[in-house]
Amino acid sequence: MNDSEIVELYWERSENAIAETSKKYSRYCYYISYNILHNNEDANECVNDTYLRAWNAIPPRRPDCLSSFLGKITRNLSLDRYKQYAAEKRGLGQTELVLSELEDCISGTSDIEQRIDEMVLVENINKFLVALPKINRIVFVRRYWYLSTTKEIAEQYKMSESKVKSMLFRTRNELKKHFEKGGIIL
C-alpha cells in the first residue's frame, strides 16, 4: 500500500491505517528509536506510541511525506524517553555523545524555541545540507538524525572510522560558519 492510501485510511478513521503503517514502517521507526535508546522494549514502545500520535495527528494534518512524519514523531518520542532515563546512564552514551558533538552548532537548551523561529532554523539547515556533497550529507544525516555510530557509517560506506569522524568534524564546523554567515547565533 502506498503512503497516500495509508494517509487516506487515517482520514477515514479506519483502524487498518495503523496496521498498514506498522507493516510498512515498523522497521524504519524501530531503527530510529533503537539508535537513541539502545533498549528493545523501550524502542518497541516508542514505535507503538508513534502510531497513536499519528492517529491523533491525522487528521487534521495531512503529511506530505509519511516516512518523515513518522520518523520525526518516533525520534521526538525516543529523545523524550532518553531524557527521562538519562540519569540512569542508559543508551550506552551514544545519544549523549551525538548531542554533545552538535553542541557547538546548536544549543541544547530549551531556550532555542524562544531565541529563533524553528522554521528559519530548519530552512537554514536544509540549505546547508543541499549544498553539501552527497556523501557528506548522507554521513551527517545518518549520524545526527538516525544517531548511527561512526563505526556503522564507516562499515556501510566502506571508509575508515577516522575518516567518518573527520568528515563529521569538518561538516559541523561548516554548519557553524553557515549559521554565523546567515546571522543565526545559537
Side-chain angles (χ1 to χ4, degrees), residues 43-60:
N44 284 324
E45 198 170 313
C46 283
V47 170
N48 288 328
D49 289 348
T50 297
Y51 304 145
L52 177 62
R53 288 267 176 101
W55 179 264
N56 290 330
I58 309 171

Side-chain angles (χ1 to χ4, degrees), residues 103-170:
E103 205 169 62
D104 289 338
C105 300
I106 300 173
S107 172
T109 67
S110 61
D111 296 333
I112 195 165
E113 289 85 15
Q114 298 166 2
R115 293 188 290 153
I116 187 167
D117 178 26
E118 184 179 296
M119 293 306 293
V120 173
L121 183 62
V122 168
E123 183 180 321
N124 273 279
I125 291 172
N126 286 337
K127 282 181 186 176
F128 172 76
L129 290 174
V130 166
L132 286 176
K134 184 178 180 179
I135 189 65
N136 294 51
R137 180 175 52 248
I138 290 169
V139 167
F140 189 85
V141 170
R142 283 287 310 273
R143 179 70 171 152
Y144 299 114
W145 175 258
Y146 294 107
L147 283 83
S148 299
T149 65
T150 54
K151 182 178 180 181
E152 290 172 331
I153 296 168
E155 288 172 358
Q156 183 171 3
Y157 297 102
K158 297 177 180 25
M159 57 180 79
S160 70
E161 198 171 344
S162 64
K163 181 175 180 173
V164 171
K165 289 177 181 179
S166 176
M167 187 183 296
L168 289 167
F169 176 77
R170 286 190 202 106

Side-chain angles (χ1 to χ4, degrees), residues 2-92:
N2 69 39
D3 288 357
S4 61
E5 293 171 326
I6 294 172
V7 170
E8 200 54 45
L9 290 174
Y10 280 101
W11 276 84
E12 294 169 1
R13 305 313 282 166
S14 170
E15 291 184 20
N16 288 335
I18 293 174
E20 291 298 327
T21 301
S22 177
K23 190 185 305 181
K24 188 168 183 180
Y25 289 109
S26 64
R27 290 182 66 194
Y28 169 72
C29 292
Y30 179 83
Y31 177 80
I32 293 170
S33 187
Y34 187 81
N35 276 352
I36 295 170
L37 299 169
H38 294 280
N39 180 291
N40 290 323
E41 189 176 301
D42 288 342
N44 284 324
E45 198 170 313
C46 283
V47 170
N48 288 328
D49 289 348
T50 297
Y51 304 145
L52 177 62
R53 288 267 176 101
W55 179 264
N56 290 330
I58 309 171
R61 291 194 59 200
R62 187 178 289 271
D64 294 326
C65 180
L66 186 59
S67 62
S68 295
F69 181 76
L70 296 170
K72 184 176 181 179
I73 292 171
T74 303
R75 188 172 190 273
N76 289 339
L77 287 169
S78 299
L79 286 171
D80 288 346
R81 175 142 318 169
Y82 171 79
K83 289 173 189 170
Q84 289 175 346
Y85 295 130
E88 298 173 25
K89 304 291 185 204
R90 291 187 57 179
L92 302 176

